[in-house]
Structures are given as C-alpha cells and as structure tokens.
C-alpha cells in the first residue's frame, strides 16, 4: 500500500482528483469505480473544475458505483444515484447511459446483483476503484463480520453505519436498513484502488486498514492483499499510523 498524507481535506481532494485525472488522460475510455458519502465530495468538485477548464474529458468514460440503498428510487435525494447525478454527473460531459449504480428498487434483488456483476465483467472490470472507509472499517457496505461475500449482494447495515449516515437524513429512522453493495471480491478485482479518508473519526479504521491484522472484522484490512492500493489521508485520519 502506498500511503499519502496530506495537510487537510482540501489537499486530499486535489491529490485524489489528480490521481483520477491521470487515469482518464492515460485512458480516455477508463472504467471508474466510484463511491458516495462525504469523503469524495471535494474530489468531485475538483474533477468538475478540471472538466470545465477542458483539462479532462469524460465523454468516453464509464462509471460503476459501489452501492445503493434498498427502497430508494434514483430521484430520492438520499439515494446514491441522486447523489452521483447531483454531485458529479450533471456537471461534467459524461454520457449518463455510461454511468451505473445498482437499482435499489429492483423487484428481483438477486437478479439485479447478478446483472451488476455481469455488467462490470462485460466492461472488462474497473481500471480504478475509489473507496471511502467507514469508522468501523467497512468498505462499500461490506460491514465487519465473520465472513464476507465476494460478489454484489444484499446486506444489512450495522447500527454504527446507520448512525453515521443519519447525518444525511432528517431523522435516523429514515436511514434504510439494507443496501445493495459490491462485494470484496468485486472490489479486489479492480486494477487499482484509491482509498480516501479525512478526520480523526477515521483514524482507527485507517490504522486497521494499513497495518492491522487482515481480518473480515476489519474489511478494509483485506486491501493489504491487493497489489496497487493508494491510500490518501489527511493528517487527522493518519494520526495513528
Ligand atoms: C459509499 C460507501 C461507503 C462510504 C463510507 C465512508 O459509496 O460505500 O463505504 O465510503 O461509509 O463514508 P463518508 O465518506 O461519508 O465518511
């Protein structure tokens, strides 16, 4: 794992955006695995700026997102499809037909998961997968457990995650209890992985990911087995390294 420590969140966002921009410049048809949440918002703002200045072109890029809440439609303000449209896709020259997010309203969840993995395989896999990390060490919605599922699957969210994500909803009761998520196997297949984390609340999880024992109880620690991972963290998140 390569670890880059930045002064603050702004610098983290710029460094991460530059990593992504280089991938797109080297391969205009890049397949980008993307994440939602608070961590990538600054990076997405930087990518929008670069796109508007003509420094990067998304017209041939394809994106595949990690996860989606079950029960929220794409136009629900807290759905991950809405987040991606609102935070990135509406502001760049990407063809929305080339942006994939699992369908949280799918009638047949099992089929949706199978089709999602088949789509990623058909695209040839992701060139890079961007990840945030949960306070409890989750990546995507792969929560700490005694075993982890490899492919895209339906999962329950832990109380920790429901509490952490309540900040985006009016009340904690509105946070969906289940989600569709890419599995660890799918994430590990990406050619490159970039993890971003900011703030002291992530310090324990960052330590577990970078130097802890590899364990399904700390899902991010599994990334130690991937051969091209770049971890970009600010000083607060790097505090325990
Ligand atoms: C989001 C995702 C989650 C977040 C993680 C960190 O698509 O899969 O694993 O990356 O919960 O969230 P933030 O960035 O809000 O702290």
């Amino acid at each position: 794992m390569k670890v880059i420590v930045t002064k603050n969140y702004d610098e983290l966002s710029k460094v991460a955006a530059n990593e992504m921009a280089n991938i797109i410049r080297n391969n205009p048809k890049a397949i980008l695995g993307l994440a939602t949440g608070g961590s990538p918002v600054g990076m997405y703002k930087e990518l929008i700026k670069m796109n508007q200045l003509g420094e990067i072109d998304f017209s041939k890029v394809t994106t595949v997102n990690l996860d989606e809440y079950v029960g929220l439609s794409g136009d629900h303000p807290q759905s991950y499809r809405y987040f991606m449209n609102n935070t990135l896709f509406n502001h760049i020259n990407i063809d929305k037909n080339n942006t994939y997010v699992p369908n949280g309203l799918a009638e047949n969840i099992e089929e949706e998961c199978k089709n999602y993995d088949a789509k990623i395989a058909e695209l040839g896999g992701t060139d890079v997968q961007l990840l945030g990390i949960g306070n409890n060490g989750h990546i995507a919605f792969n929560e700490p457990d005694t075993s982890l599922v490899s492919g895209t699957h339906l999962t329950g969210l832990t109380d920790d995650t429901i509490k952490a994500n309540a900040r985006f909803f009016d009340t904690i009761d509105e946070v969906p209890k289940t989600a569709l998520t890419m599995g660890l196997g799918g994430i590990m297949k990406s050619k490159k992985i970039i993890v971003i984390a900011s703030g002291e609340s992530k310090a324990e999880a960052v330590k577990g990911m970078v130097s802890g024992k590899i364990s399904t109880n700390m899902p991010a620690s599994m990334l130690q087995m991937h051969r091209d991972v770049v971890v970009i963290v600010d000083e607060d998140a790097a505090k325990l390294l």
Side-chain angles (χ1 to χ4, degrees):
M1 276 182 177
K2 178 175 156 195
V3 180
I4 301 173
V5 181
T6 65
K7 279 233 139 344
N8 51 37
Y9 180 70
D10 278 355
E11 193 185 324
L12 175 155
S13 301
K14 288 194 176 106
V15 172
N18 279 328
E19 289 272 348
M20 281 288 183
N22 285 336
I23 291 166
I24 298 168
R25 285 190 197 107
N26 286 335
N27 176 9
K29 292 185 179 169
I31 315 291
L32 309 180
L34 297 181
T36 61
S39 306
V41 171
M43 186 200 86
Y44 290 149
K45 279 195 185 136
E46 292 296 326
L47 289 175
I48 292 168
K49 258 192 252 164
M50 289 181 194
N51 183 234
Q52 289 174 350
L53 291 170
E55 295 171 4
I56 45 169
D57 174 20
F58 284 92
S59 62
K60 297 191 186 74
V61 165
T62 298
T63 66
V64 182
N65 261 78
L66 287 171
D67 38 22
E68 178 62 284
Y69 289 121
V70 167
L72 300 193
S73 71
D75 50 20
H76 186 290
Q78 295 312 333
S79 75
Y80 286 172
R81 161 53 76 183
Y82 185 94
F83 174 98
M84 289 310 301
N85 286 347
N86 207 36
T87 313
L88 183 67
F89 301 150
N90 288 348
H91 312 287
I92 58 175
N93 69 331
I94 198 161
D95 178 349
K96 283 228 187 91
N97 293 318
N98 296 334
T99 67
Y100 297 91
V101 180
N103 176 9
L105 289 186
E107 275 184 21
N108 186 336
I109 294 277
E110 216 172 292
E111 190 91 346
E112 171 67 14
C113 292
K114 235 200 284 161
N115 291 345
Y116 204 68
D117 286 338
K119 185 74 217 172
I120 298 170
E122 183 195 316
L123 291 167
T126 50
D127 294 301
V128 61
Q129 178 64 60
L130 175 75
L131 298 174
I133 178 172
N135 299 346
N136 62 2
H138 76 211
I139 47 178
F141 277 129
N142 296 280
E143 300 280 23
D145 209 335
T146 48
S147 66
L148 292 171
V149 182
S150 178
T152 298
H153 59 282
L154 174 72
T155 186
L157 309 190
T158 60
D159 289 344
D160 273 353
T161 299
I162 291 171
K163 253 184 239 154
N165 288 5
R167 69 193 195 276
F168 299 114
F169 291 80
D170 289 337
T171 67
I172 194 163
D173 295 334
E174 288 172 39
V175 184
K177 309 284 180 289
T178 53
L180 298 183
T181 182
M182 233 187 247
L184 248 299
I187 291 169
M188 294 292 276
K189 272 190 209 147
S190 184
K191 292 174 192 99
K192 183 183 183 79
I193 294 176
I194 297 176
V195 191
I196 53 176
S198 161
E200 216 177 325
S201 66
K202 299 289 173 73
E204 274 292 341
V206 167
K207 182 181 169 203
M209 166 174 67
V210 173
S211 57
K213 183 169 74 130
I214 296 174
S215 155
T216 55
N217 283 318
M218 172 53 71
S221 67
M222 311 289 281
L223 299 174
Q224 291 175 32
M225 295 196 291
H226 191 283
R227 68 173 128 93
D228 188 1
V229 180
V230 182
V231 176
I232 309 170
V233 285
D234 63 13
E235 281 176 0
D236 289 341
K239 226 172 184 167
L240 300 176
L241 293 183

